[in-house]
Structure formats: structure tokens, C-alpha cells
Amino acid sequence: MKTIEEYMRLPYKLEIVRDTEEGGYVGSYPELRGCITTGQTIAELAANAEDARREWLLTAMEEGIAIPEPAADMEYSGQFKLRIPKALHRSLAQHSKEQGVSMNQYCLYLLTKNDAEGNHTRAAK
């Protein structure tokens, strides 16, 4: 069995969506069933998500519940290079600063949100 530190280093996928009813954001780890949290900002959500994942893993370890490993995507590195107009770069940098997160985190949120919305649209058809 792994230690909590080993589990915390594993790359579990965090899905983030805007909470249109309550405001703020909702984050969940699909591979850790029921591991869900919220935050008013992306930065707050990121911190809460780490805490929620740690508590979920600790509870599973204490109760002897099998902890799934993150899905392995051997074909994808998780990185890609993207050239964007300077005005868009400036806008993204400003919005990420307002949210108190890095531009990478902010762009990840935007991509995740758009991908999740696209999945809901495709599922409805």
C-alpha cells in the first residue's frame, strides 16, 4: 500500500466548472468517486481541492477502501505549445492575475470548463 504522500503525488485529474447557481467554482476528481469541493476563486478552489483529495485518500486508507490509480495516458505528455495573439495573451495574463493564479492554471480552468460544457452539449444530442 502506498503512503499518503505517494498518493498525493499521483496525477489525478481535477475537473473544474463554474457554479452558476451559488457562484464560484466546483471541482471534482472523477477517479475518486465523491471527492468534490468548491471555492469562490480558482485559487481557493485549488487549495480546497488539495485538502479534499488528501482527506478522501486518508479516509479510504483508514477504511480499507481500494484507491484507484489515475488513468494512464501514455500517448499524451500533458503539454502543448500554442501561439496566440498578443492582445489575447495580455487579457489572459490580466484575468489570471485577478484570480490570483498562474496563467497556466487559469488557461487550464478555461479549457476544462469549455471541454466539460462541450461534453454536456454532445451528450444532450
Side-chain angles (χ1 to χ4, degrees):
M1 179 179 250
K2 289 179 173 51
T3 66
I4 187 64
E5 289 79 18
E6 290 171 318
Y7 278 116
M8 288 300 291
R9 284 192 294 269
L10 294 177
Y12 288 101
K13 178 182 176 181
L14 174 61
E15 291 183 348
I16 302 170
V17 294
R18 182 177 286 278
D19 186 341
T20 57
E21 293 178 18
E22 302 282 328
Y25 304 90
V26 176
S28 65
Y29 292 96
E31 295 151 327
L32 305 177
R33 188 178 181 107
C35 187
I36 301 170
T37 191
T38 62
Q40 287 302 307
T41 65
I42 296 292
E44 182 181 339
L45 175 68
N48 291 347
E50 285 298 299
D51 290 343
R53 181 169 53 137
R54 178 176 289 279
E55 291 304 315
W56 191 99
L57 292 166
L58 285 170
T59 300
M61 292 170 78
E62 289 171 4
E63 307 231 348
I65 297 170
I67 299 172
E69 297 277 326
D73 282 332
M74 299 302 261
E75 298 176 36
Y76 305 101
S77 69
Q79 298 179 5
F80 68 96
K81 191 177 272 189
L82 178 65
R83 297 206 182 275
I84 59 176
K86 288 179 183 180
L88 178 57
H89 190 174
R90 179 177 39 257
S91 177
L92 291 169
Q94 289 170 342
H95 287 114
S96 64
K97 187 175 181 179
E98 290 168 6
Q99 289 293 323
V101 297
S102 71
M103 199 166 87
N104 274 349
Q105 287 177 310
Y106 185 69
C107 290
L108 176 61
Y109 155 72
L110 292 174
L111 289 167
T112 303
K113 177 181 176 243
N114 189 50
D115 187 57
E117 288 173 357
N119 286 334
H120 292 293
T121 303
R122 285 190 294 277
K125 289 182 180 181

